[in-house]
């Protein structure tokens, strides 16, 4: 194994310390000697294969050594300090960074996955080699995924497709990206994968013959023109073909460009020369030419792309680039170390160029600091990784890359925060355009600003498409209108506390309060008011979460309180279980469990219902349209359980309805008469006059079923002056 690794280092790398690599190999071999892979093979095979992948990428000594050692800190007794002493601090830091990333697993809870991705971004910011080593680790794990259980195969494959393959793309490492995608595709959509492989294999000979013919025609013309070139036909990867079939609803027979012709030349001048020759041989398809040499992608990719029609009427794509561009296209950011190790000069410009290529990472890091909501962060993170790009120009000719669908607002905030905040209008190609105009590649964009404009408009949040712009707009409102948001939030929170009959001092404590503080970056009650006022979090969501978690926590550690709680639970269990048999509620098919009906929505038989497992108070039953239930699902979906109505009879339920009616004499008498005629018991009635000669009447009645309630509402609605009758919900 060590000989194979050293041979790959010799073939692909420059200035690697072979003695250090051997030292790391024997150290790792000894550290993992008692461990086995899922396949039953010695564990050392995995770190050596990871190091080989890094060697193929042309990485430096520290990266290859860290690849050999990447599981040592996590799986053995070796400490960080010991590793730093045996090797060096740089290698130990790389291994430590990869070790922390090793905890990332795909989870359904956005909050947990968000925390893991944030750690990964921070590790990348410190040293980009950490994620390159992690990608090599993930690639080998995907290559050996067949030894894992089926369920774990799918989880790893989905995580790879959601996070690691897009990251490889962002780093320009297409060789890694394509293999990760094809491997993930194989395990996520096994039937479609093998069917596609089979269908493509059936006509491989015919395609290869046609490709060989095209390559020959191009080669002859380039030789006649005196252009040195290397031409080959690259079959498109299975996942990219599958994605095209799904997105465009096409069969395999309808997709013609299954093979891309790649032409490699020595200079940029030759690239454009080859393009001219190809367009004289074949007819180009309008709108299918892309110049990524003049306008490189953010991941450093450079190439000319053109789609043409061949002599047999078949379309095919041709990519033209230099040999250096091809290395960057294959290895992306990893190519930097090969050039760096082979360059004896101390030119700082190259380092600056390298840093500029990671601008997207810094933007994402800056944005994630301002984004406290886990779901919003993960959604934005995936959008940033997956989105296609457009290229537009400033009036001075500077190229700005934006995500597809971007608007002038996104452009303005990309230029500078102040330009965005004072944006008064925009021009595209010299003509005034609306702020929701969708920019296109090649547009020359000019932002008109005004000192009279104090800040952005709230509706810009629905117009902007980039996380960067949205984050800056929210930041402006958060800062400029904090006092207004605080007052509005305070009013909403106090109203919600009153509605749910709790005191803030009773519930703003414990683990739940700490989780809310962490999630929304809240340090004090004023921050909570501001977040509610700005709409970042709902008052009902915070109150419900805190109430459910903490209202029964008083002095829970004292023996007296514990005994009292036990006695109360026994009493409740006896009382509620008796009621349960009457109500006929079952929880996941089990009856005679401790249940209670949520007062916020008062469910009755016939309503769709769900349950929430509370601490010490059994299962709280809510209507499925209850806003409090939605908040509970958002925060703690694992505590929400299926419940259903049984067949028991004889129970009564409180339901609340609200009547909006003309404020006329006798309206209350008419309503109470309808309730009496229906042989129903009136629990409470509250009436208020509002503007415009309207009366709002809240009624609570005891009923047997939702059908009985609907019938009552129908009768009240027929009363003279009744404008609307609706059921109350939280």
């Amino acid at each position: 194994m060590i000989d194979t690794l050293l041979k790959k280092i010799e073939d692909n790398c420059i200035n690697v310390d072979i003695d250090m690599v051997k030292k790391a190999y024997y150290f790792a071999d000894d550290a993992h000697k008692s461990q086995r892979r899922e396949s039953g093979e010695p564990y050392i095979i995995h770190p050596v294969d990871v190091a080989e992948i890094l060697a193929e990428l042309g990485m430096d000594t520290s990266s290859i050594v860290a690849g050999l050692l990447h599981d040592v800190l996590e799986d053995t007794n070796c400490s960080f300090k010991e590793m730093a002493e045996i090797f060096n601090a740089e290698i130990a830091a790389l291994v430590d960074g990869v070790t922390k990333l090793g905890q990332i697993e795909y989870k359904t809870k956005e909050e947990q996955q968000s925390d893991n991705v944030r750690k990964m971004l921070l590790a990348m910011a410190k040293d980009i080699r950490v994620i390159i080593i992690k990608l090599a680790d993930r690639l080998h794990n995907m290559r050996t995924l067949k030894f894992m259980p089926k369920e774990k195969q799918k989880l790893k494959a989905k995580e790879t497709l959601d996070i690691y393959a897009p990251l490889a793309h962002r780093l320009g490492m297409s060789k890694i990206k394509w293999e990760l995608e094809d491997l993930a595709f194989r395990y996520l959509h096994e039937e479609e994968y093998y069917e596609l492989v089979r269908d493509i294999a059936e006509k491989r000979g015919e395609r290869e013959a046609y490709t060989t013919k095209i390559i020959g025609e191009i080669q002859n013309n380039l030789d006649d023109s005196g252009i040195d070139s290397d031409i080959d036909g690259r079959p498109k990867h299975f996942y990219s073909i599958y994605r095209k079939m799904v997105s465009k609803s096409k069969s395999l027979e309808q997709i013609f460009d299954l093979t891309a012709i790649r032409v490699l030349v020595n200079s940029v001048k030759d690239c454009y020369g080859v393009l001219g020759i190809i367009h004289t041989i074949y007819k180009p398809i309008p709108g299918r030419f892309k110049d990524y040499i003049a306008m490189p992608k953010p991941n450093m990719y450079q190439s000319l792309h053109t789609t043409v029609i061949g002599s047999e009427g078949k379309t095919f794509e041709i990519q033209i680039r230099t040999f250096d561009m091809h290395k960057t296209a294959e290895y992306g950011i990893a190519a930097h170390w090969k050039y760096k190790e082979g360059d004896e000069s101390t030119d700082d410009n190259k380092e600056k160029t390298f840093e500029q290529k990671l601008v997207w990472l810094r933007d994402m890091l800056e944005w994630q600091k301002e984004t406290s909501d886990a779901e919003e962060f993960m959604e934005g993170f995936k959008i940033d990784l997956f989105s296609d790009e457009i290229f537009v120009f400033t009036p001075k000719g500077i190229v700005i890359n934006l995500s597809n669908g971007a608007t002038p607002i996104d452009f303005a905030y990309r230029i500078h925060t102040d330009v965005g905040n004072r944006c008064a209008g925009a021009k595209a190609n010299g003509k005034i355009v609306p702020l929701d105009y969708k920019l296109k590649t090649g547009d020359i964009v000019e932002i008109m600003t005004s000192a009279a404009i104090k800040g952005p408009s709230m509706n810009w949040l629905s117009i902007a498409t980039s996380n960067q712009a949205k984050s800056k707009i929210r930041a402006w409102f958060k800062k400029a209108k904090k006092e207004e948001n605080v007052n509005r939030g305070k009013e909403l929170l106090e109203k919600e506390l009153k509605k749910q009959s709790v005191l803030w001092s009773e519930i703003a404590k414990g683990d739940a309060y700490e989780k809310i503080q962490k999630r929304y970056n809240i340090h004090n009650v004023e921050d909570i008011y501001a977040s509610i006022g700005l709409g970042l979090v709902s008052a009902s969501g915070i109150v419900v979460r805190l109430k459910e978690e903490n209202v029964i926590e008083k002095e829970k550690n004292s023996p007296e309180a514990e005994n009292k709680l036990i006695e109360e639970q026994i009493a409740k269990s006896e009382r509620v279980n008796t009621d349960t048999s009457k109500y006929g509620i079952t929880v996941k098919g089990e009856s005679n469990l401790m249940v209670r009906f949520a007062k916020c929505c008062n469910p009755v038989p016939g309503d769709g219902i769900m349950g929430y497992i509370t601490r010490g108070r059994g299962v709280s039953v809510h209507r499925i349209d209850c806003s409090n239930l939605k908040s509970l699902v958002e925060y703690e979906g694992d505590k929400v359980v299926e419940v259903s109505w049984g067949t028991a009879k004889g129970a009564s339920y409180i339901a609340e309805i609200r009547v909006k009616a003309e404020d006329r004499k006798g309206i209350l008498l008419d309503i109470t008469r309808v309730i009496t005629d229906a042989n129903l018991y009136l629990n409470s009635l509250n009436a208020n006059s509002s503007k415009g000669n309207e009366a709002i009447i809240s009624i609570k009645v005891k009923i047997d079923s939702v059908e009985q309630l609907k019938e009552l509402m129908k009768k009240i609605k027929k009363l003279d002056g009744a404008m609307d009758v609706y059921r109350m919900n939280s």
Side-chain angles (χ1 to χ4, degrees):
M1 284 188 293
I2 185 64
D3 290 339
T4 304
L5 173 59
L6 295 178
K7 180 67 170 64
K8 290 196 174 180
I9 291 172
E10 181 185 342
D11 292 343
N12 298 286
C13 305
I14 301 171
N15 296 337
V16 169
D17 186 339
I18 299 300
D19 290 337
M20 182 76 85
V21 172
K22 288 180 179 178
K23 181 180 177 181
Y25 168 77
Y26 292 116
F27 185 86
D29 188 28
D30 182 61
H32 294 298
K33 62 185 176 185
S34 61
Q35 297 173 345
R36 295 270 166 181
R37 296 273 286 168
E38 290 280 347
S39 61
E41 298 172 314
Y43 195 89
I44 188 63
I45 288 175
H46 171 62
V48 170
D49 281 339
V50 170
E52 285 184 12
I53 292 169
L54 293 166
E56 289 169 2
L57 293 172
M59 295 301 293
D60 61 339
T61 301
S62 295
S63 301
I64 295 171
V65 170
L68 284 166
L69 302 172
H70 77 273
D71 279 330
V72 169
L73 291 182
E74 185 176 356
D75 295 340
T76 74
N77 294 324
C78 179
S79 67
F80 178 89
K81 183 179 179 182
E82 184 182 353
M83 184 173 287
E85 289 173 353
I86 296 172
F87 296 95
N88 58 49
E90 181 186 15
I91 288 170
L94 286 172
V95 175
D96 186 52
V98 178
T99 301
K100 288 175 181 174
L101 298 188
Q103 304 304 315
I104 296 179
E105 291 182 4
Y106 188 85
K107 295 180 176 67
T108 54
K109 288 187 177 180
E110 293 285 354
E111 187 174 352
Q112 290 172 301
Q113 193 181 31
S114 166
D115 286 343
N116 286 328
V117 173
R118 288 177 198 264
K119 288 177 188 174
M120 182 165 62
L121 290 175
L122 291 170
M124 288 166 63
K126 290 178 183 175
D127 195 327
I128 198 69
R129 289 176 294 180
V130 169
I131 194 61
I132 295 174
I133 298 166
K134 183 60 188 175
L135 286 171
D137 173 43
R138 176 50 59 108
L139 179 57
H140 184 252
N141 281 333
M142 289 299 294
R143 286 174 178 174
T144 56
L145 199 59
K146 63 182 178 182
F147 298 108
M148 290 285 208
K150 282 278 185 187
E151 185 180 345
K152 203 160 188 178
Q153 286 177 354
K154 288 192 178 293
L155 287 173
K156 289 286 183 186
K158 179 157 180 58
E159 181 186 61
T160 297
L161 210 53
D162 280 354
I163 294 175
Y164 290 102
L167 271 173
H169 170 67
R170 271 293 193 173
L171 296 171
M173 302 167 71
S174 63
K175 194 171 184 181
I176 301 283
K177 176 212 174 192
W178 289 121
E179 188 174 353
L180 286 175
E181 286 187 337
D182 280 354
L183 287 167
F185 174 36
R186 172 184 167 188
Y187 289 102
L188 280 176
H189 306 285
E190 190 173 354
E191 187 177 330
E192 292 90 338
Y193 173 82
Y194 285 109
E195 184 180 346
L196 185 60
V197 171
R198 195 166 51 247
D199 291 346
I200 289 175
E202 285 179 2
K203 296 188 177 181
R204 179 175 291 160
E206 181 184 325
R207 278 197 313 277
E208 287 180 351
Y210 183 68
T211 302
T212 302
K213 177 188 172 187
I214 295 296
I215 289 173
E217 291 174 354
I218 296 173
Q219 189 73 68
N220 291 335
N221 279 271
L222 296 186
D223 289 345
D224 291 343
S225 301
I227 297 177
D228 291 332
S229 62
D230 186 353
I231 310 173
D232 66 3
R234 177 185 63 83
K236 291 212 169 177
H237 296 270
F238 296 124
Y239 183 67
S240 66
I241 296 170
Y242 171 74
R243 195 166 54 189
K244 184 177 282 190
M245 290 168 63
V246 171
S247 63
K248 297 188 176 181
S249 301
K250 288 185 176 182
S251 64
L252 185 64
E253 291 73 24
Q254 293 173 300
I255 297 176
F256 299 106
D257 54 341
L258 296 179
T259 303
I261 308 295
R262 182 186 293 143
V263 183
L264 304 181
V265 292
N266 293 313
S267 67
V268 172
K269 177 184 176 185
D270 286 346
C271 288
Y272 289 100
V274 170
L275 178 69
I277 291 168
I278 285 173
H279 281 183
T280 59
I281 306 172
Y282 309 109
K283 186 176 181 180
I285 297 177
R288 295 294 298 273
F289 168 67
K290 293 175 182 176
D291 188 343
Y292 294 119
I293 292 179
M295 294 181 289
K297 290 186 176 183
N299 64 3
M300 302 163 293
Y301 179 85
Q302 285 185 286
S303 187
L304 298 177
H305 288 196
T306 184
T307 303
V308 297
I309 302 174
S311 54
E312 297 178 19
K314 293 181 180 178
T315 62
F316 56 93
E317 184 184 65
I318 298 177
Q319 300 170 357
I320 310 162
R321 64 184 76 135
T322 67
F323 289 97
D324 284 344
M325 289 174 188
H326 181 59
K327 286 178 186 175
T328 302
E330 292 284 292
Y331 302 114
I333 211 78
H336 166 78
W337 278 271
K338 180 180 283 193
Y339 299 141
K340 180 181 177 182
E341 296 298 317
D343 191 352
E344 299 295 331
S345 70
T346 56
D347 187 1
D348 289 337
N349 288 330
K350 291 189 177 180
E351 285 299 320
K352 289 178 182 176
T353 302
F354 173 70
E355 290 299 320
Q356 287 170 359
K357 291 170 182 176
L358 295 177
V359 167
W360 67 271
L361 174 58
R362 287 200 300 274
D363 285 346
M364 197 178 288
L365 279 168
E366 194 63 35
W367 168 70
Q368 69 92 16
K369 288 177 187 174
E370 300 173 0
T371 307
S372 54
D373 185 82
E375 188 173 344
E376 180 190 337
F377 170 75
M378 282 309 301
E379 182 184 351
F381 175 74
K382 290 174 183 177
I383 288 171
D384 275 355
L385 287 181
F386 280 109
S387 62
D388 293 328
E389 289 134 355
I390 60 169
F391 301 89
V392 297
F393 298 91
T394 68
K396 292 184 178 180
I398 298 171
V399 179
I400 303 292
N401 67 289
L402 297 165
S403 60
N404 192 28
T407 65
I409 291 174
D410 297 297
F411 177 87
Y413 279 103
R414 176 62 65 85
I415 299 301
H416 196 278
T417 303
D418 287 341
V419 174
N421 287 341
R422 295 192 295 113
C423 175
K427 289 182 180 180
N429 307 315
K431 295 181 180 178
I432 293 176
V433 294
L435 292 179
D436 61 356
Y437 169 77
K438 302 296 182 186
L439 298 173
K440 300 184 294 294
T441 292
D443 282 348
I444 300 171
V445 186
E446 180 183 353
I447 300 297
M448 297 176 285
T449 61
S450 171
I453 293 178
K454 296 179 181 178
S457 168
M458 185 62 86
N459 72 334
W460 287 8
L461 285 171
S462 60
I463 296 174
T465 62
S466 69
N467 292 310
Q468 181 194 34
K470 289 181 179 181
S471 178
K472 289 180 177 179
I473 293 168
R474 288 194 190 100
W476 186 90
F477 279 106
K478 192 173 182 179
K479 183 179 179 182
K481 297 195 173 183
K482 185 172 182 180
E483 187 176 343
E484 182 182 329
N485 290 328
V486 166
N487 291 334
R488 185 190 302 121
K490 184 177 182 181
E491 183 182 334
L492 290 170
L493 183 60
E494 288 176 349
K495 185 177 179 182
E496 189 65 32
L497 289 167
K498 187 176 180 181
K499 179 179 177 182
Q500 299 206 28
S501 304
V502 291
L503 296 174
W504 179 250
S505 59
E506 289 179 348
I507 61 175
K509 56 188 177 182
D511 292 342
Y513 187 57
E514 288 179 10
K515 287 177 185 176
I516 284 179
Q517 284 182 306
K518 183 179 176 182
R519 177 168 183 177
Y520 293 102
N521 195 25
I522 288 168
H523 304 291
N524 51 51
V525 72
E526 192 173 80
D527 287 343
I528 293 178
Y529 294 153
S531 296
I532 294 171
L534 191 59
L536 297 177
V537 61
S538 69
S540 64
I542 283 187
V543 173
V544 169
R545 172 78 178 275
L546 293 175
K547 183 180 173 183
E548 293 286 356
E549 289 293 330
N550 291 319
V551 77
I552 61 168
E553 293 274 334
K554 295 177 182 177
E555 301 176 359
K556 65 177 182 179
N557 293 324
S558 69
E560 295 81 5
E562 192 171 330
N563 290 334
K564 186 178 179 182
L565 183 61
I566 291 171
E567 290 171 4
E568 287 177 354
Q569 289 193 21
I570 292 171
K572 275 186 179 179
S573 180
E574 291 172 350
R575 183 175 69 254
V576 177
N577 281 338
T578 303
D579 291 342
T580 301
S581 62
K582 186 169 65 174
Y583 293 144
I585 293 289
T586 59
V587 181
K588 285 191 173 180
E590 296 292 329
S591 58
N592 291 328
L593 294 179
M594 185 173 170
V595 298
R596 64 186 181 86
F597 293 108
K599 293 181 180 179
C600 53
C601 56
N602 291 317
V604 299
D607 286 332
I609 51 175
M610 291 291 285
Y612 172 74
I613 301 170
T614 64
R615 289 187 183 178
R617 294 181 295 162
V619 176
S620 174
V621 180
H622 294 255
R623 281 166 38 198
I624 56 173
D625 60 347
C626 175
S627 60
N628 283 347
L629 177 67
K630 291 174 184 176
S631 298
L632 292 171
V633 171
E634 177 190 350
Y635 283 111
E636 291 179 310
D638 57 332
K639 289 190 177 181
V640 177
V641 294
E642 292 181 10
V643 296
S644 58
W645 298 102
T647 56
K649 303 290 183 182
S652 296
Y653 306 84
I654 300 294
E656 184 177 2
I657 60 175
R658 185 160 289 179
V659 180
K660 185 178 177 182
E662 180 186 333
D663 190 6
R664 66 171 177 81
K665 187 177 180 180
I667 185 67
L668 291 180
L669 184 62
D670 290 344
I671 290 173
T672 53
R673 186 179 294 116
V674 169
I675 295 171
T676 303
D677 291 345
N679 202 24
L680 296 176
Y681 177 76
L682 179 64
N683 184 271
S684 70
L685 185 147
N686 184 31
N688 290 293
S689 295
S690 63
K691 294 179 182 178
N693 198 33
E694 288 181 0
I696 303 297
I697 306 157
S698 296
I699 306 164
K700 286 185 180 180
V701 290
K702 279 189 178 181
I703 58 166
D704 298 329
S705 67
V706 73
E707 288 76 18
Q708 196 176 41
L709 181 64
K710 286 178 181 177
E711 186 63 29
L712 174 65
M713 292 168 66
K714 191 186 296 182
K715 289 178 179 177
I716 293 175
K717 201 165 186 178
K718 289 180 180 178
L719 292 174
D720 183 31
M723 293 181 278
D724 194 11
V725 183
Y726 52 93
R727 190 170 171 190
M728 289 300 294
N729 190 15
S730 59

